Amino acid sequence: MAEPFHYEHDVFVGRDMGGNDYTLTPELITRYQAGTEDRHPWYRGASPFGAAVAPALLLHSEVYRNLSWYLPNLIGNLHAKQEWELFQPMLVGDRVCTHSTVVERYSKRNRDYVVNEVLITDPTGRWLQRSRTHQSFLMEADRTGLVVDKEREKRADRTFVVGEGTGPDLQPTQKTITIDMCQAFSGPHRSYHTDREMAQALGFPDIVVQGMLSVCFIAELMTGNFGAGWFCGGKLNVNLVNVVWPDDRLIVRGQERSAVPEGAKTRVHCDVWCEKADGVKTIVGTASGLR
């Protein structure tokens, strides 16, 4: 019998991580709203799709249901980048299927990156969403002190310029991060996203607010500004550039950059970002929706 090319527990491109089936219940919506404070009326009542629609990123953390794609050194690991494509809305009550695959590995600035793609379909196999999560891991296991402290975001190399175009601004939203939000979004199990002691054990001074929460804030911004044109063809590509901590107040912003015809619709490309009260950017990138 031929030997396999990869060892069973290696994290390699092409590794099949399996998937899950879900029914999108009102209880899942309630939990999402508690974690994000996104209470769009379409999630509970009539929508342009004929019934209540699930938040676009309701299954935001499906990629983290099975962490065997993580590298062994968990000290200082961070969610670095997120891509998302929306093809069809998911209605409350629908059954959906997920499947996860390791699709890329690369190295940059003393970190190893693993990219996990999650495909969400309906039971017939029709694509609903596709996302790619880039998780980064320190190459060096040894450390002294904190891997990331709260002063890091003040450094000159942590400054990011975005939103300096001439297009109209999107209607912004604001969020103040609470422990209760972290528990609802990332719990109920203990992790460095919900527990200070566990965060300190991994090289952080405080709870690290899960990066996917800020990604959901961007999705809320796009929902509010594009409506059905976000659920049917929305895209985002963002980098998570600074850590969000409990009690941080975030302003979620966007600015239209260009508009191009796409069939009978127009795709509007936007710069999007979250910033703290002192202007520190925590997530920067691009998103687009249809009009």
Side-chain angles (χ1 to χ4, degrees):
M1 182 174 178
E3 295 239 353
F5 186 77
H6 295 288
Y7 293 111
E8 180 183 0
H9 299 295
D10 279 353
V11 180
F12 56 89
V13 173
R15 180 173 173 180
D16 187 333
M17 301 305 305
N20 297 287
D21 294 347
Y22 298 99
T23 298
L24 306 182
T25 64
E27 289 75 21
L28 285 176
I29 310 300
T30 297
R31 182 177 180 82
Y32 182 90
Q33 292 180 312
T36 63
E37 296 189 342
D38 177 4
R39 297 186 173 88
H40 198 287
W42 290 357
Y43 305 156
R44 293 290 181 181
S47 78
F49 311 111
V53 65
L57 271 56
L58 178 66
L59 300 181
H60 51 81
S61 291
E62 178 64 14
V63 68
Y64 298 123
R65 299 301 178 202
N66 176 356
L67 293 182
S68 58
W69 60 281
Y70 268 32
L71 300 184
N73 179 24
L74 298 181
I75 301 296
N77 82 88
L78 288 169
H79 184 180
K81 181 176 180 177
Q82 188 65 49
E83 303 166 66
W84 220 291
E85 295 174 282
L86 308 175
F87 305 116
Q88 299 287 338
M90 303 185 298
L91 301 184
V92 178
D94 281 354
R95 272 201 329 117
V96 300
C97 311
T98 71
H99 204 96
S100 172
T101 307
V102 175
V103 295
E104 189 176 355
R105 285 194 61 169
Y106 59 95
S107 299
K108 184 171 62 176
R109 292 195 291 273
N110 199 40
R111 282 185 173 267
D112 283 325
Y113 292 76
V114 181
V115 184
N116 191 324
E117 178 175 285
V118 175
L119 184 64
I120 303 177
T121 70
D122 69 11
T124 71
R126 182 180 66 157
W127 285 22
L128 304 175
Q129 299 184 5
R130 181 173 63 181
S131 65
R132 288 192 170 194
T133 300
H134 299 237
Q135 197 78 15
S136 76
F137 303 84
L138 286 171
M139 292 181 183
E140 301 295 332
D142 296 331
R143 68 177 175 92
T144 56
L146 299 173
V147 173
V148 174
D149 61 29
K150 292 188 177 182
E151 295 305 309
R152 172 177 176 262
E153 63 193 44
K154 311 290 186 185
R155 296 187 336 221
D157 65 326
R158 307 307 303 172
T159 300
F160 302 88
V161 177
V162 65
E164 293 195 337
T166 58
D169 292 335
L170 303 183
Q171 182 64 38
T173 185
Q174 297 190 36
K175 305 285 181 175
T176 298
I177 308 301
T178 67
I179 298 295
D180 286 345
M181 289 173 68
C182 293
Q183 292 285 354
F185 192 83
S186 304
H189 59 282
R190 292 175 67 233
S191 73
Y192 72 128
H193 298 311
T194 61
D195 184 271
R196 183 171 286 110
E197 288 185 4
M198 294 191 72
Q200 291 171 344
L202 290 179
F204 303 99
D206 202 346
I207 289 170
V208 175
V209 177
Q210 187 178 339
M212 204 67 84
L213 181 56
S214 293
V215 178
C216 288
F217 293 160
I218 297 294
E220 179 182 354
L221 176 80
M222 296 299 287
T223 299
N225 284 273
F226 288 91
W230 170 243
F231 290 93
C232 301
K235 299 181 182 182
L236 68 79
N237 188 332
V238 292
N239 294 304
L240 292 85
V241 294
N242 281 307
V243 176
V244 177
W245 312 101
D247 299 323
D248 276 344
R249 183 167 182 80
L250 299 180
I251 305 175
V252 188
R253 299 187 183 277
Q255 183 184 60
E256 295 184 18
R257 183 158 45 87
S258 63
V260 295
E262 185 170 306
K265 303 293 185 181
T266 298
R267 180 168 296 278
V268 181
H269 295 274
C270 305
D271 293 324
V272 291
W273 67 98
C274 294
E275 63 185 22
K276 301 187 184 185
D278 60 1
V280 167
K281 305 296 190 296
T282 63
I283 185 170
V284 298
T286 61
S288 66
L290 297 174
R291 285 182 180 153

